[in-house]
Amino acid sequence: MTEKIAGLSKDERDAVKQRAAELRAQEKAGKSRAAGEKAVREAIAAMPDDDRVLAEGIDRIVSEVAPQLVPKTWYGFPSYADEDGKVVVFFKAASKFTTRYATLGFEESAQLDDGDLWVTSFAVIALTPATEKAIAEHIRKAAG
């Protein structure tokens, strides 16, 4: 069982600490594409095999359909930001919080608005031609 202190689990506290370290590293290295790509590659390389395969696929898809998005890490997650530095899409590995599926998520800057209800995240357990096509369509739309 995950230990809770002051409303946050140990995993959540670790994620907050990781985000603070990311911000310090971004400040030191600058917010360049190269620094972001390196941070994302390192985050993906550190994942267990199942998550790594999914993250590599998401990274490839984003690079192909939304090359204008800038890679960076966000709470340790590979993420991709718009020109203002706001996260549009991110990948959360299942192993991050020991969940049964990875998550492909979209933040507020994603251009997915569709009436009064729209999807902001998906559970991802495998990349197939069909899931890759759906992911590409959502990322393309989200990036504008």
Side-chain angles (χ1 to χ4, degrees), residues 37-142:
E37 288 172 348
K38 181 178 184 280
V40 166
R41 279 194 310 272
E42 289 172 353
I44 291 172
M47 293 177 185
D49 291 345
D50 291 347
D51 287 328
R52 188 172 54 252
V53 167
L54 295 174
E56 288 171 345
I58 300 295
D59 185 62
R60 177 181 43 78
I61 293 166
V62 172
S63 297
E64 290 171 4
V65 303
Q68 72 275 26
L69 295 180
V70 178
K72 67 184 216 174
T73 54
W74 185 61
Y75 294 97
F77 309 142
S79 66
Y80 307 86
D82 62 17
E83 66 274 1
D84 296 326
K86 295 182 189 250
V87 171
V88 174
V89 61
F90 65 90
F91 175 80
K92 181 173 67 172
S95 59
K96 182 72 173 184
F97 297 112
T98 53
T99 58
R100 65 184 180 93
Y101 54 82
T103 303
L104 176 67
F106 298 91
E107 282 296 295
E108 279 191 60
S109 57
Q111 299 175 30
L112 294 173
D113 300 38
D114 185 17
D116 293 332
L117 178 72
W118 60 88
V119 174
T120 60
S121 67
F122 293 92
V124 182
I125 56 171
L127 289 178
T128 66
T131 58
E132 286 197 24
K133 182 179 177 189
I135 288 168
E137 289 171 7
H138 283 285
I139 290 172
R140 187 177 291 112
K141 183 177 179 185

Side-chain angles (χ1 to χ4, degrees), residues 4-9 13:
K4 288 258 191 189
I5 297 175
L8 294 176
S9 70
R13 286 191 316 277

